[in-house]
Amino acid sequence: GGEQGRQVSAASAALSAGGSLLASELGARLGLDDAGVIESRTLGGSVLGVGKYLSPRVYVGFGVSLFGGGQVLTLRYLIRRGVDLSLESSSVESRASLNYRKER
């Protein structure tokens, strides 16, 4: 019912917030650039992920699904200012996107 749906949503939000806080603390201690709970398009849900910039242009990340099974590997490459290539591969599917941002 509606009440159960709200309770599940509240529990999910609390888990995401707590997991994100724990991951950021752990990530900072391990020297990672990024750690927390994020949404994964390839897995279709929340992922506990960590990532590191290997250079100013190259980012590599890894995540594990919080609900269900699956892992995801992310690679981002900055082509030039405002343009980057993003690759995401998981146990479910793979995606690639070319992103363009105009900064004002």
Side-chain angles (χ1 to χ4, degrees):
E3 180 61 29
Q4 287 177 336
R6 285 189 289 277
Q7 288 175 347
V8 168
S9 293
S12 174
L15 178 61
S16 291
S20 192
L21 181 62
L22 179 64
S24 347
E25 279 291 317
L26 182 61
R29 289 178 189 228
L30 293 176
L32 299 171
D33 296 317
D34 188 22
V37 177
I38 56 171
E39 288 296 313
S40 170
R41 290 176 135 187
T42 59
L43 289 177
S46 296
V47 172
L48 180 61
V50 295
K52 178 91 175 145
Y53 282 93
L54 302 179
S55 76
R57 292 181 175 255
V58 179
Y59 172 86
V60 176
F62 177 76
V64 177
S65 177
L66 289 176
F67 306 107
Q71 302 87 28
V72 63
L73 181 64
T74 304
L75 173 67
R76 275 189 242 134
Y77 178 73
L78 179 65
I79 297 170
R80 67 181 182 97
R81 187 174 178 204
V83 180
D84 69 78
L85 176 65
S86 180
L87 305 168
E88 194 173 299
S89 180
S90 74
S91 50
V92 177
E93 70 178 27
S94 296
R95 300 175 85 80
S97 62
L98 183 63
N99 306 303
Y100 171 76
R101 287 178 303 285
K102 183 176 181 180
E103 298 176 11
R104 297 177 187 210

Coordinates of all heavy atoms in Angstrom, one line a residue:
G1 N 0.8 -1.2 0.0 CA 0.0 0.0 0.0 C 0.9 1.3 0.0 O 2.1 1.2 -0.1
G2 N 0.2 2.4 0.1 CA 0.9 3.7 0.1 C 1.8 3.9 1.3 O 2.9 4.4 1.1
E3 N 1.3 3.5 2.4 CA 2.1 3.6 3.7 C 3.4 2.8 3.6 O 4.5 3.3 4.0 CB 1.3 3.3 4.9 CG 2.0 3.4 6.2 CD 2.5 4.9 6.5 OE1 1.8 5.8 6.0 OE2 3.5 5.0 7.2
Q4 N 3.3 1.6 3.1 CA 4.5 0.7 3.0 C 5.5 1.3 2.0 O 6.7 1.3 2.2 CB 4.1 -0.7 2.6 CG 3.4 -1.5 3.7 CD 3.0 -2.8 3.2 OE1 2.8 -3.1 2.0 NE2 2.8 -3.7 4.2
G5 N 4.9 1.9 0.9 CA 5.8 2.5 -0.1 C 6.6 3.7 0.5 O 7.8 3.8 0.2
R6 N 5.9 4.5 1.3 CA 6.6 5.6 1.9 C 7.6 5.1 2.9 O 8.7 5.7 3.0 CB 5.6 6.5 2.6 CG 4.8 7.4 1.7 CD 3.9 8.4 2.4 NE 2.8 7.8 3.1 CZ 1.6 7.5 2.6 NH1 1.4 7.7 1.3 NH2 0.7 6.9 3.3
Q7 N 7.4 4.1 3.6 CA 8.3 3.5 4.6 C 9.6 3.0 3.9 O 10.7 3.2 4.3 CB 7.7 2.4 5.5 CG 6.7 2.9 6.5 CD 6.0 1.8 7.2 OE1 6.1 0.7 6.8 NE2 5.3 2.2 8.3
V8 N 9.4 2.3 2.8 CA 10.5 1.8 2.0 C 11.3 2.9 1.4 O 12.5 2.9 1.4 CB 10.0 0.8 0.8 CG1 11.1 0.5 -0.1 CG2 9.4 -0.5 1.4
S9 N 10.7 3.9 0.9 CA 11.4 5.1 0.4 C 12.2 5.8 1.5 O 13.3 6.2 1.3 CB 10.4 6.1 -0.2 OG 9.8 5.6 -1.3
A10 N 11.6 5.9 2.7 CA 12.3 6.6 3.8 C 13.5 5.7 4.2 O 14.6 6.3 4.5 CB 11.4 6.8 5.0
A11 N 13.4 4.4 4.3 CA 14.5 3.5 4.6 C 15.6 3.6 3.6 O 16.8 3.6 3.9 CB 14.0 2.1 4.8
S12 N 15.2 3.6 2.3 CA 16.2 3.7 1.2 C 16.9 5.0 1.3 O 18.2 5.1 1.1 CB 15.4 3.6 -0.1 OG 16.3 3.9 -1.2
A13 N 16.3 6.1 1.6 CA 16.9 7.4 1.7 C 17.9 7.4 2.9 O 19.0 8.0 2.8 CB 15.9 8.6 1.9
A14 N 17.5 6.9 4.0 CA 18.4 6.8 5.2 C 19.6 5.9 4.9 O 20.7 6.3 5.3 CB 17.6 6.2 6.4
L15 N 19.4 4.8 4.2 CA 20.5 3.9 3.9 C 21.5 4.7 2.9 O 22.7 4.6 3.1 CB 20.0 2.7 3.2 CG 21.1 1.7 2.8 CD1 21.9 1.2 4.0 CD2 20.5 0.5 2.1
S16 N 20.9 5.4 2.0 CA 21.8 6.1 1.0 C 22.6 7.2 1.7 O 23.8 7.4 1.5 CB 20.9 6.7 -0.1 OG 20.4 5.7 -0.9
A17 N 21.9 7.9 2.6 CA 22.6 9.0 3.3 C 23.7 8.5 4.2 O 24.8 8.9 4.2 CB 21.6 9.8 4.1
G18 N 23.4 7.4 5.0 CA 24.4 6.8 5.9 C 25.5 6.2 5.1 O 26.7 6.3 5.5
G19 N 25.2 5.5 4.0 CA 26.2 4.8 3.2 C 27.1 5.8 2.5 O 28.3 5.7 2.4
S20 N 26.5 7.0 2.1 CA 27.3 8.0 1.5 C 28.3 8.6 2.5 O 29.5 8.9 2.1 CB 26.4 9.1 0.9 OG 27.1 9.9 0.0
L21 N 27.8 8.9 3.7 CA 28.7 9.5 4.7 C 29.8 8.5 5.1 O 31.0 8.9 5.1 CB 27.9 9.8 5.9 CG 28.6 10.5 7.1 CD1 29.2 11.8 6.7 CD2 27.7 10.6 8.3
L22 N 29.5 7.3 5.3 CA 30.5 6.3 5.6 C 31.5 6.1 4.5 O 32.7 6.1 4.7 CB 29.8 4.9 5.9 CG 30.8 3.8 6.2 CD1 31.5 4.0 7.5 CD2 29.9 2.5 6.3
A23 N 31.0 6.1 3.2 CA 31.9 5.9 2.1 C 32.8 7.1 1.9 O 34.0 7.0 1.6 CB 31.1 5.7 0.8
S24 N 32.3 8.4 2.1 CA 33.2 9.5 2.0 C 34.3 9.5 3.1 O 35.4 9.9 2.7 CB 32.5 10.8 2.1 OG 31.2 10.8 2.1
E25 N 34.0 9.1 4.3 CA 35.0 9.1 5.3 C 36.1 8.0 4.9 O 37.3 8.3 5.0 CB 34.4 8.7 6.6 CG 33.7 9.8 7.4 CD 34.8 10.8 7.9 OE1 35.8 10.3 8.5 OE2 34.5 12.0 7.8
L26 N 35.6 6.9 4.5 CA 36.5 5.8 4.2 C 37.3 6.2 2.9 O 38.6 6.0 2.9 CB 35.8 4.5 3.9 CG 36.6 3.3 3.5 CD1 37.5 2.9 4.7 CD2 35.7 2.1 3.2
G27 N 36.7 6.8 2.0 CA 37.4 7.2 0.7 C 38.5 8.3 1.0 O 39.6 8.2 0.5
A28 N 38.2 9.2 1.9 CA 39.1 10.2 2.3 C 40.3 9.6 2.9 O 41.5 10.0 2.7 CB 38.5 11.3 3.2
R29 N 40.1 8.6 3.8 CA 41.3 8.0 4.5 C 42.1 7.1 3.6 O 43.3 7.0 3.8 CB 40.7 7.1 5.6 CG 40.2 7.9 6.8 CD 39.7 7.1 7.9 NE 39.0 7.9 8.9 CZ 39.2 7.8 10.1 NH1 40.0 6.9 10.6 NH2 38.5 8.6 11.0
L30 N 41.5 6.6 2.5 CA 42.2 5.8 1.5 C 42.8 6.6 0.4 O 43.5 6.0 -0.5 CB 41.3 4.7 0.9 CG 40.8 3.7 1.9 CD1 39.8 2.7 1.2 CD2 41.9 2.9 2.5
G31 N 42.6 7.9 0.4 CA 43.1 8.7 -0.7 C 42.3 8.7 -2.0 O 42.9 9.1 -3.0
L32 N 41.1 8.4 -1.9 CA 40.2 8.4 -3.1 C 39.6 9.7 -3.3 O 39.4 10.5 -2.4 CB 39.1 7.3 -3.0 CG 39.6 5.9 -2.8 CD1 38.4 5.0 -2.5 CD2 40.3 5.4 -4.1
D33 N 39.4 10.1 -4.6 CA 38.8 11.4 -4.9 C 37.3 11.4 -4.7 O 36.7 12.5 -4.5 CB 39.2 11.8 -6.4 CG 40.7 11.9 -6.5 OD1 41.3 12.5 -5.6 OD2 41.2 11.4 -7.5
D34 N 36.7 10.3 -4.9 CA 35.2 10.3 -4.9 C 34.7 9.0 -4.2 O 35.3 7.9 -4.5 CB 34.7 10.3 -6.3 CG 33.2 10.4 -6.5 OD1 32.6 10.9 -5.5 OD2 32.7 10.0 -7.5
A35 N 33.8 9.1 -3.3 CA 33.2 7.9 -2.6 C 31.8 8.3 -2.1 O 31.6 9.4 -1.6 CB 34.1 7.4 -1.5
G36 N 30.9 7.4 -2.3 CA 29.5 7.7 -1.9 C 28.5 6.9 -2.6 O 28.8 5.9 -3.3
V37 N 27.2 7.2 -2.3 CA 26.1 6.5 -2.9 C 25.7 7.3 -4.1 O 25.4 8.5 -4.0 CB 25.0 6.3 -1.9 CG1 23.8 5.6 -2.6 CG2 25.4 5.4 -0.8
I38 N 25.6 6.7 -5.3 CA 25.2 7.4 -6.5 C 24.2 6.6 -7.3 O 24.0 5.4 -6.9 CB 26.5 7.7 -7.4 CG1 27.2 6.4 -7.8 CG2 27.4 8.7 -6.8 CD1 28.2 6.5 -8.8
E39 N 23.6 7.1 -8.3 CA 22.7 6.4 -9.1 C 23.4 5.9 -10.3 O 24.2 6.6 -10.9 CB 21.5 7.3 -9.6 CG 20.5 7.6 -8.5 CD 19.8 6.4 -7.9 OE1 19.3 5.6 -8.7 OE2 19.7 6.3 -6.7
S40 N 23.2 4.6 -10.7 CA 23.8 4.0 -11.9 C 22.8 3.8 -12.9 O 21.8 3.1 -12.6 CB 24.5 2.7 -11.5 OG 24.9 2.1 -12.7
R41 N 23.0 4.3 -14.1 CA 22.0 4.1 -15.2 C 22.1 2.7 -15.7 O 21.1 2.1 -16.0 CB 22.4 5.1 -16.3 CG 22.0 6.5 -16.0 CD 22.5 7.3 -17.2 NE 21.5 8.3 -17.5 CZ 21.5 9.1 -18.5 NH1 22.5 9.0 -19.4 NH2 20.5 9.9 -18.7
T42 N 23.3 2.1 -15.7 CA 23.4 0.7 -16.2 C 22.8 -0.3 -15.3 O 22.2 -1.3 -15.7 CB 24.8 0.3 -16.5 OG1 25.6 0.4 -15.4 CG2 25.4 1.2 -17.6
L43 N 22.9 -0.1 -14.0 CA 22.3 -1.0 -13.0 C 20.9 -0.6 -12.6 O 20.1 -1.4 -12.0 CB 23.1 -1.1 -11.7 CG 24.5 -1.8 -11.9 CD1 25.3 -1.8 -10.6 CD2 24.3 -3.3 -12.4
G44 N 20.5 0.6 -12.9 CA 19.1 1.1 -12.6 C 18.8 1.2 -11.1 O 17.7 0.9 -10.7
G45 N 19.8 1.7 -10.4 CA 19.5 1.9 -8.9 C 20.7 2.5 -8.2 O 21.7 2.9 -8.9
S46 N 20.7 2.4 -6.9 CA 21.7 3.0 -6.1 C 22.9 2.1 -6.0 O 22.8 0.9 -5.9 CB 21.2 3.3 -4.7 OG 20.2 4.2 -4.7
V47 N 24.1 2.8 -6.1 CA 25.4 2.1 -6.1 C 26.3 2.7 -5.0 O 26.4 3.9 -4.9 CB 26.0 2.2 -7.5 CG1 27.4 1.6 -7.4 CG2 25.2 1.5 -8.5
L48 N 27.0 1.9 -4.3 CA 28.0 2.4 -3.4 C 29.3 2.4 -4.2 O 29.8 1.4 -4.6 CB 28.2 1.5 -2.2 CG 29.3 1.9 -1.2 CD1 29.0 3.3 -0.6 CD2 29.4 0.8 -0.1
G49 N 29.8 3.6 -4.5 CA 30.9 3.7 -5.5 C 32.1 4.5 -4.9 O 32.0 5.3 -4.0
V50 N 33.3 4.2 -5.5 CA 34.5 4.9 -5.2 C 35.2 5.2 -6.5 O 34.9 4.5 -7.5 CB 35.5 4.0 -4.3 CG1 34.9 3.8 -3.0 CG2 35.8 2.7 -5.0
G51 N 36.0 6.3 -6.5 CA 36.6 6.6 -7.8 C 37.9 7.4 -7.5 O 38.1 8.0 -6.4
K52 N 38.7 7.5 -8.5 CA 40.0 8.2 -8.4 C 40.4 8.8 -9.8 O 40.1 8.2 -10.8 CB 41.1 7.2 -8.0 CG 42.5 7.7 -7.9 CD 42.8 8.2 -6.5 CE 44.2 8.6 -6.4 NZ 44.4 9.7 -5.5
Y53 N 40.9 10.0 -9.7 CA 41.4 10.7 -10.9 C 42.8 10.2 -11.1 O 43.7 10.4 -10.3 CB 41.4 12.2 -10.8 CG 40.0 12.8 -11.1 CD1 39.2 13.0 -10.0 CD2 39.6 13.1 -12.4 CE1 37.9 13.6 -10.2 CE2 38.4 13.6 -12.6 CZ 37.5 13.8 -11.5 OH 36.3 14.3 -11.8
L54 N 43.1 9.5 -12.2 CA 44.4 9.0 -12.5 C 45.3 10.1 -13.1 O 46.5 10.1 -13.0 CB 44.4 7.8 -13.5 CG 43.5 6.6 -13.1 CD1 43.5 5.6 -14.1 CD2 44.0 6.1 -11.8
S55 N 44.6 11.1 -13.7 CA 45.3 12.3 -14.2 C 44.2 13.4 -14.2 O 43.0 13.0 -14.0 CB 45.9 12.1 -15.6 OG 44.9 12.1 -16.6
P56 N 44.5 14.6 -14.5 CA 43.5 15.6 -14.5 C 42.4 15.3 -15.6 O 41.3 15.8 -15.5 CB 44.2 16.9 -14.9 CG 45.6 16.7 -14.4 CD 45.9 15.2 -14.6
R57 N 42.7 14.5 -16.6 CA 41.7 14.2 -17.6 C 41.0 12.8 -17.5 O 40.0 12.6 -18.1 CB 42.4 14.2 -19.0 CG 42.9 15.6 -19.4 CD 43.5 15.5 -20.8 NE 43.8 16.8 -21.3 CZ 43.1 17.4 -22.2 NH1 42.1 16.9 -22.8 NH2 43.5 18.7 -22.6
V58 N 41.6 11.9 -16.7 CA 41.1 10.5 -16.7 C 40.6 10.2 -15.3 O 41.3 10.3 -14.3 CB 42.2 9.5 -17.1 CG1 41.7 8.1 -17.0 CG2 42.7 9.8 -18.5
Y59 N 39.3 9.7 -15.2 CA 38.7 9.3 -14.0 C 38.3 7.8 -14.1 O 37.7 7.4 -15.1 CB 37.5 10.2 -13.7 CG 36.6 9.7 -12.5 CD1 37.0 10.1 -11.2 CD2 35.5 8.9 -12.7 CE1 36.2 9.7 -10.1 CE2 34.8 8.5 -11.7 CZ 35.1 8.9 -10.4 OH 34.3 8.4 -9.3
V60 N 38.5 7.0 -13.1 CA 38.1 5.6 -13.0 C 37.3 5.4 -11.8 O 37.7 5.8 -10.7 CB 39.3 4.7 -13.1 CG1 38.8 3.2 -13.0 CG2 40.1 4.8 -14.4
G61 N 36.1 4.8 -11.9 CA 35.3 4.5 -10.7 C 34.8 3.1 -10.7 O 34.7 2.5 -11.8
F62 N 34.4 2.6 -9.5 CA 33.9 1.3 -9.4 C 32.8 1.3 -8.4 O 32.9 2.0 -7.3 CB 35.0 0.3 -8.9 CG 34.4 -1.1 -8.7 CD1 34.1 -2.0 -9.7 CD2 34.2 -1.6 -7.4 CE1 33.6 -3.2 -9.5 CE2 33.7 -2.8 -7.1 CZ 33.4 -3.7 -8.2
G63 N 31.7 0.6 -8.6 CA 30.6 0.6 -7.7 C 29.9 -0.7 -7.6 O 30.0 -1.6 -8.5
V64 N 29.3 -0.9 -6.4 CA 28.5 -2.2 -6.1 C 27.1 -1.8 -5.8 O 26.8 -0.9 -5.0 CB 29.2 -2.9 -4.9 CG1 28.4 -4.2 -4.6 CG2 30.6 -3.3 -5.2
S65 N 26.2 -2.5 -6.4 CA 24.7 -2.2 -6.2 C 24.3 -2.4 -4.7 O 24.7 -3.4 -4.1 CB 23.9 -3.1 -7.1 OG 22.5 -2.9 -6.9
L66 N 23.5 -1.5 -4.2 CA 23.0 -1.6 -2.9 C 21.8 -2.5 -2.8 O 21.6 -3.2 -1.8 CB 22.6 -0.2 -2.3 CG 23.8 0.7 -2.0 CD1 23.2 2.1 -1.6 CD2 24.7 0.2 -1.0
F67 N 21.0 -2.5 -3.8 CA 19.8 -3.3 -3.8 C 19.9 -4.3 -5.0 O 19.8 -3.9 -6.2 CB 18.6 -2.4 -4.0 CG 18.5 -1.4 -2.9 CD1 18.8 -0.1 -3.2 CD2 18.2 -1.7 -1.6 CE1 18.7 0.9 -2.3 CE2 18.2 -0.7 -0.6 CZ 18.4 0.6 -1.0
G68 N 20.1 -5.5 -4.8 CA 20.3 -6.5 -5.9 C 21.8 -6.7 -6.1 O 22.6 -6.2 -5.4
G69 N 22.1 -7.5 -7.1 CA 23.5 -7.8 -7.4 C 24.0 -7.0 -8.6 O 23.2 -6.4 -9.4
G70 N 25.2 -6.9 -8.7 CA 25.8 -6.2 -9.8 C 26.9 -5.2 -9.4 O 26.9 -4.7 -8.3
Q71 N 27.9 -5.0 -10.3 CA 28.9 -4.1 -10.2 C 29.0 -3.2 -11.4 O 28.5 -3.6 -12.5 CB 30.3 -4.8 -10.0 CG 30.4 -5.7 -8.9 CD 30.0 -7.1 -9.2 OE1 30.1 -7.5 -10.3 NE2 29.5 -7.8 -8.2
V72 N 29.6 -2.0 -11.3 CA 29.7 -1.1 -12.4 C 31.1 -0.5 -12.4 O 31.7 -0.2 -11.4 CB 28.6 -0.1 -12.4 CG1 28.7 0.8 -11.2 CG2 28.6 0.8 -13.7
L73 N 31.7 -0.4 -13.6 CA 33.0 0.2 -13.8 C 32.8 1.5 -14.7 O 32.1 1.4 -15.7 CB 33.9 -0.7 -14.5 CG 35.3 -0.2 -14.7 CD1 36.1 0.0 -13.4 CD2 36.1 -1.2 -15.6
T74 N 33.3 2.6 -14.3 CA 33.1 3.9 -15.0 C 34.5 4.4 -15.4 O 35.4 4.4 -14.6 CB 32.4 4.9 -14.1 OG1 31.2 4.3 -13.6 CG2 32.1 6.2 -14.8
L75 N 34.5 4.9 -16.6 CA 35.7 5.6 -17.1 C 35.2 6.9 -17.7 O 34.3 6.9 -18.6 CB 36.4 4.8 -18.2 CG 37.6 5.4 -18.9 CD1 38.7 5.7 -17.9 CD2 38.0 4.6 -20.0
R76 N 35.9 8.0 -17.3 CA 35.6 9.3 -17.9 C 36.9 9.9 -18.4 O 37.9 9.9 -17.7 CB 34.9 10.3 -16.9 CG 33.5 10.1 -16.8 CD 32.8 11.2 -15.9 NE 32.2 10.5 -14.8 CZ 32.3 10.8 -13.5 NH1 33.0 11.9 -13.2 NH2 31.8 10.1 -12.6
Y77 N 36.8 10.5 -19.6 CA 37.9 11.1 -20.2 C 37.6 12.5 -20.7 O 36.6 12.7 -21.4 CB 38.5 10.3 -21.4 CG 39.6 10.9 -22.1 CD1 40.9 10.9 -21.5 CD2 39.5 11.6 -23.3 CE1 42.0 11.5 -22.1 CE2 40.6 12.2 -23.9 CZ 41.8 12.2 -23.3 OH 42.9 12.8 -23.9
L78 N 38.3 13.5 -20.2 CA 38.0 14.9 -20.5 C 38.8 15.2 -21.9 O 40.0 15.2 -21.9 CB 38.6 15.8 -19.4 CG 38.4 17.3 -19.7 CD1 36.9 17.7 -19.7 CD2 39.1 18.1 -18.6
I79 N 38.0 15.4 -22.9 CA 38.5 15.6 -24.2 C 39.1 17.0 -24.3 O 40.2 17.3 -24.7 CB 37.5 15.4 -25.3 CG1 37.1 13.9 -25.3 CG2 38.0 15.8 -26.7 CD1 35.9 13.6 -26.1
R80 N 38.3 18.0 -23.9 CA 38.7 19.4 -23.8 C 37.7 20.0 -22.8 O 36.7 19.4 -22.4 CB 38.8 20.1 -25.1 CG 37.4 20.3 -25.8 CD 37.6 21.0 -27.1 NE 36.3 21.2 -27.8 CZ 35.7 22.3 -27.7 NH1 36.2 23.4 -27.1 NH2 34.5 22.4 -28.3
R81 N 38.0 21.2 -22.4 CA 37.1 21.9 -21.5 C 35.7 21.9 -21.9 O 35.3 22.4 -23.0 CB 37.6 23.4 -21.3 CG 36.9 24.1 -20.2 CD 37.5 25.4 -20.0 NE 36.7 26.1 -18.9 CZ 36.7 27.4 -18.8 NH1 37.4 28.2 -19.6 NH2 36.0 27.9 -17.8
G82 N 34.8 21.3 -21.1 CA 33.4 21.3 -21.4 C 33.0 20.1 -22.2 O 31.8 19.9 -22.4
V83 N 33.9 19.2 -22.7 CA 33.6 18.0 -23.5 C 34.2 16.8 -22.9 O 35.4 16.8 -22.7 CB 34.0 18.2 -24.9 CG1 33.6 17.0 -25.7 CG2 33.4 19.4 -25.6
D84 N 33.4 15.8 -22.5 CA 34.0 14.6 -22.0 C 33.3 13.4 -22.5 O 32.2 13.4 -23.0 CB 34.0 14.6 -20.4 CG 32.7 14.5 -19.8 OD1 32.1 13.3 -19.8 OD2 32.1 15.5 -19.4
L85 N 34.0 12.3 -22.5 CA 33.5 11.0 -22.9 C 33.3 10.1 -21.7 O 34.3 10.0 -20.8 CB 34.5 10.3 -23.9 CG 34.2 8.9 -24.3 CD1 32.9 8.9 -25.2 CD2 35.3 8.3 -25.1
S86 N 32.2 9.5 -21.5 CA 31.9 8.7 -20.3 C 31.5 7.3 -20.8 O 30.6 7.1 -21.6 CB 30.8 9.3 -19.5 OG 30.5 8.6 -18.4
L87 N 32.2 6.3 -20.2 CA 31.9 4.9 -20.5 C 31.5 4.2 -19.2 O 32.2 4.4 -18.2 CB 33.1 4.2 -21.1 CG 33.7 4.8 -22.3 CD1 35.1 4.2 -22.6 CD2 32.8 4.6 -23.5
E88 N 30.4 3.5 -19.2 CA 30.0 2.8 -18.0 C 29.6 1.3 -18.4 O 28.8 1.1 -19.3 CB 28.7 3.5 -17.4 CG 28.4 3.1 -16.0 CD 27.3 4.0 -15.4 OE1 27.5 5.2 -15.3 OE2 26.2 3.4 -15.1
S89 N 30.3 0.4 -17.7 CA 30.0 -1.0 -18.0 C 29.6 -1.7 -16.7 O 30.3 -1.6 -15.7 CB 31.3 -1.6 -18.6 OG 31.0 -3.0 -18.9
S90 N 28.6 -2.5 -16.8 CA 28.1 -3.2 -15.6 C 27.8 -4.7 -16.0 O 27.9 -5.1 -17.1 CB 26.9 -2.6 -15.0 OG 25.7 -2.9 -15.8
S91 N 27.4 -5.4 -15.0 CA 27.0 -6.8 -15.2 C 25.7 -6.9 -16.0 O 25.4 -8.0 -16.5 CB 26.9 -7.5 -13.9 OG 26.1 -6.8 -13.0
V92 N 25.0 -5.8 -16.1 CA 23.7 -5.8 -16.8 C 23.9 -5.2 -18.3 O 23.4 -5.8 -19.2 CB 22.7 -4.9 -16.1 CG1 21.4 -4.8 -16.8 CG2 22.5 -5.5 -14.7
E93 N 24.5 -4.1 -18.4 CA 24.7 -3.5 -19.8 C 25.8 -2.5 -19.8 O 26.4 -2.3 -18.7 CB 23.4 -2.7 -20.2 CG 23.1 -1.5 -19.4 CD 21.9 -0.7 -19.8 OE1 20.9 -1.4 -20.4 OE2 21.8 0.5 -19.6
S94 N 26.1 -2.0 -20.9 CA 27.2 -1.0 -21.1 C 26.6 0.2 -21.8 O 25.7 0.1 -22.6 CB 28.4 -1.6 -21.9 OG 29.0 -2.6 -21.2
R95 N 27.2 1.4 -21.4 CA 26.7 2.7 -22.0 C 28.0 3.5 -22.3 O 29.0 3.4 -21.6 CB 25.9 3.5 -21.0 CG 24.7 2.8 -20.5 CD 24.0 3.7 -19.5 NE 23.1 4.7 -20.0 CZ 21.9 4.6 -20.4 NH1 21.4 3.4 -20.4 NH2 21.2 5.6 -20.8
A96 N 27.8 4.4 -23.3 CA 28.8 5.4 -23.6 C 28.1 6.7 -23.9 O 27.0 6.6 -24.5 CB 29.6 4.9 -24.8
S97 N 28.6 7.8 -23.5 CA 28.0 9.1 -23.8 C 29.1 10.1 -24.0 O 30.2 10.1 -23.4 CB 27.1 9.5 -22.7 OG 27.8 9.7 -21.5
L98 N 28.8 11.0 -24.9 CA 29.7 12.2 -25.2 C 28.9 13.4 -24.6 O 27.8 13.7 -25.0 CB 29.9 12.3 -26.7 CG 30.8 13.5 -27.1 CD1 32.2 13.2 -26.5 CD2 30.9 13.6 -28.6
N99 N 29.5 14.0 -23.6 CA 28.8 15.1 -22.9 C 29.5 16.4 -23.2 O 30.7 16.6 -23.3 CB 28.9 14.8 -21.4 CG 28.4 13.5 -21.0 OD1 27.3 13.1 -21.3 ND2 29.3 12.7 -20.4
Y100 N 28.6 17.4 -23.4 CA 29.0 18.7 -23.8 C 28.4 19.7 -22.8 O 27.2 19.6 -22.5 CB 28.6 19.1 -25.2 CG 28.8 20.6 -25.5 CD1 30.1 21.0 -25.8 CD2 27.8 21.5 -25.5 CE1 30.3 22.4 -26.1 CE2 28.0 22.8 -25.8 CZ 29.3 23.2 -26.1 OH 29.5 24.6 -26.4
R101 N 29.2 20.6 -22.1 CA 28.7 21.5 -21.2 C 29.2 22.9 -21.6 O 30.4 23.1 -21.9 CB 29.2 21.3 -19.8 CG 28.5 20.1 -19.1 CD 29.1 19.8 -17.7 NE 30.5 19.6 -17.7 CZ 31.1 18.5 -18.1 NH1 30.4 17.5 -18.5 NH2 32.4 18.4 -18.0
K102 N 28.3 23.9 -21.7 CA 28.7 25.3 -21.9 C 28.7 26.0 -20.6 O 27.7 26.1 -20.0 CB 27.8 25.9 -22.9 CG 28.2 27.3 -23.3 CD 27.3 27.9 -24.4 CE 27.8 29.3 -24.7 NZ 27.0 29.9 -25.8
E103 N 29.9 26.5 -20.2 CA 30.0 27.2 -18.9 C 29.8 28.7 -19.2 O 30.3 29.2 -20.1 CB 31.3 26.9 -18.3 CG 31.5 25.4 -18.0 CD 32.8 25.0 -17.5 OE1 33.6 25.9 -17.1 OE2 33.1 23.8 -17.4
R104 N 29.1 29.3 -18.3 CA 28.9 30.8 -18.4 C 29.7 31.5 -17.4 O 30.0 31.1 -16.3 CB 27.4 31.1 -18.2 CG 26.6 30.5 -19.3 CD 25.2 30.8 -19.0 NE 24.3 30.0 -19.9 CZ 23.2 30.5 -20.3 NH1 22.7 31.6 -19.9 NH2 22.5 29.8 -21.2

